[in-house]
Amino acid sequence: MVTTGASAEEVEQAWADNKLAQVLYHDWEAQTYDEKWSISFDERCTTVVRDRFMHVLEATRRPDESLPYGRVLELGAGTGFFALNLKLAGLVDEVHVSDLSPGMVEAAKANAQRLGFEIDGRVADAEHLPYEDDSFDLVVGHAVIHHIPDVEAALREVVRVLRPGGRFVIAGEPTTIGHWYARHISRATWETATRVSRLPPFRSKWAREQAELDESSRAAALEAVVDLHTFDPAELAAKARRAGADHVGTATEELTAAFAGWPIRTFEYAVAEDALGFGWAKFAYGSWRRLMRVDAVLGRVVPQRFFYNVGVTGTKPLR
Ligand SMILES: C[S@@+](CC[C@H](N)C(=O)[O-])C[C@H]1O[C@@H](n2cnc3c(N)ncnc32)[C@H](O)[C@@H]1O
């Protein structure tokens, strides 16, 4: 936790207060988040975000539901990956981002400014949203609800701030089975890659500095503190219904893509930064996209709970 720049006192409190841990961790992560996750605001990420959003939306989209959505709120927006790329894709109009971490809200606003977008950004806890009832046409979230202690309370807030008939799309959450295999595959890749890259024939080109490896291990340990949940798709849908949503549906993604993607990503962290060039990045992204297409076909026969990512969508009942 030394790497976060938080005071020793804050670190001590963070073990007892998970929300404080979330703020400290994500404020620290905000500085390098886009680089760490290869986030960009261009054709590559716009395509990923549009496909992911549409995949979840189509689970229960009504024939009369037209795009783009007008007033849109993102929960736990981080640096704006989802909402800003949705805006670039032309799927949303007026963007409001919120996040528990002030550092993330600042990063999202800075990214929006670079893109020439005017957005509203607020520091907000998804369990207690500082927005009026019935005020958004769409609420989105990406890779966020697994960090929230009371997921059902956050979903109730989502329903409260939506206008009657409004829609929510929450995507990119880990399934319970997917998280299990991703963790095991990543651990095995990390052990193998860090050991092999230190052997004499590879060391000069491939080995990462020990200090960098130690920092990656500390970050992984912190991630275990802030990652609170994994989801069974059917149970996630039940939570959304209990929170008051209608037309609830779930959609899953990444099966073979996760089996390839996790070792690739872990390998990238485990070896020296300049050992892998543009050709590798092209190969890694191209392979992941091709496997995503395979997974779209597998999705017709393989049960949802075996995929890595789950999304949930639904609407606020019309009064
Ligand atoms: C894994 S990041 C995802 C960020 C972004 N949505 C993305 O996909 O790149 C999770 C985000 O959720 C935020 N977060 C954690 N707990 C939260 C809460 N209770 N309310 C709102 N945001 C929260 C974190 O600060 C962080 O920015």
Side-chain angles (χ1 to χ4, degrees):
M1 208 104 172
V2 177
T3 52
T4 64
S7 72
E9 207 171 89
E10 282 176 318
V11 170
E12 196 59 39
Q13 287 168 6
W15 291 111
D17 177 350
N18 192 268
K19 292 266 171 81
L20 178 60
Q22 300 283 348
V23 173
L24 294 178
Y25 178 75
H26 289 108
D27 269 358
W28 164 68
E29 220 194 3
Q31 302 155 33
T32 52
Y33 190 79
D34 288 350
E35 193 192 340
K36 176 179 172 191
W37 293 104
S38 304
I39 287 176
S40 57
F41 300 94
D42 56 13
E43 176 72 25
R44 182 178 61 89
C45 280
T46 300
T47 305
V48 170
V49 167
R50 185 188 50 229
D51 290 356
R52 184 159 287 176
F53 174 82
M54 293 305 294
H55 181 61
V56 179
L57 170 66
E58 293 298 346
T60 67
R61 185 180 173 189
R62 296 182 309 254
D64 63 337
E65 212 168 326
S66 63
L67 296 163
Y69 291 90
R71 213 173 123 87
V72 178
L73 171 68
E74 179 166 11
L75 313 173
T79 60
F81 166 67
F82 208 57
L84 297 180
N85 275 303
L86 283 174
K87 170 112 179 131
L88 282 172
L91 296 175
V92 302
D93 196 2
E94 184 185 317
V95 173
H96 297 248
V97 296
S98 65
D99 199 289
L100 190 62
S101 146
M104 286 292 194
V105 175
E106 282 314 307
K109 288 201 315 205
N111 279 335
Q113 199 173 19
R114 271 192 289 278
L115 292 165
F117 296 155
E118 291 220 356
I119 66 163
D120 174 70
R122 288 195 207 173
V123 176
D125 183 346
E127 288 177 13
H128 310 280
L129 290 172
Y131 300 94
E132 300 283 307
D133 295 3
D134 307 341
S135 52
F136 291 98
D137 300 303
L138 174 72
V139 176
V140 296
H142 184 262
V144 58
I145 61 171
H146 67 280
H147 291 296
I148 300 175
D150 190 342
V151 174
E152 214 173 298
L155 291 170
R156 272 198 302 275
E157 281 292 87
V158 166
V159 173
R160 179 183 69 75
V161 302
L162 278 173
R163 65 163 171 76
R167 154 105 32 207
F168 65 89
V169 172
I170 291 170
E173 300 296 337
T175 64
T176 303
I177 294 177
H179 175 73
W180 180 85
Y181 59 67
R183 207 182 57 224
H184 283 83
I185 294 171
S186 298
R187 198 170 292 160
T189 309
W190 178 265
E191 293 294 326
T192 311
T194 51
R195 274 190 201 158
V196 172
S197 63
R198 279 198 296 254
L199 295 175
F202 307 111
R203 192 181 300 147
S204 64
K205 179 170 181 207
W206 294 96
R208 232 176 212 244
E209 297 287 332
Q210 190 56 45
E212 288 173 7
L213 289 177
D214 291 346
E215 176 150 353
S216 291
S217 302
R218 275 198 294 272
L222 288 178
E223 245 168 55
V225 176
V226 297
D227 288 349
L228 299 179
H229 309 286
T230 58
F231 299 98
D232 172 80
E235 284 169 18
L236 182 56
K239 270 190 205 306
R241 283 190 200 98
R242 283 198 300 273
D246 253 0
H247 303 106
V248 173
T250 53
T252 50
E253 280 186 317
E254 291 199 61
L255 181 61
T256 63
F259 275 89
W262 280 100
I264 286 175
R265 207 168 303 150
T266 310
F267 179 67
E268 288 168 356
Y269 289 141
V271 301
E273 213 176 328
D274 48 9
L276 304 164
F278 180 68
W280 166 268
K282 220 172 136 195
F283 155 78
Y285 179 66
S287 311
W288 181 76
R289 290 289 297 174
R290 277 189 292 279
L291 291 172
M292 287 288 279
R293 286 197 282 276
V294 172
D295 293 344
V297 178
L298 290 176
R300 294 180 205 151
V301 287
V302 178
Q304 286 198 329
R305 64 182 186 283
F306 293 111
F307 285 75
Y308 176 72
N309 262 323
V310 61
V312 62
T313 188
T315 61
K316 176 164 179 163
L318 291 164
R319 285 195 263 265

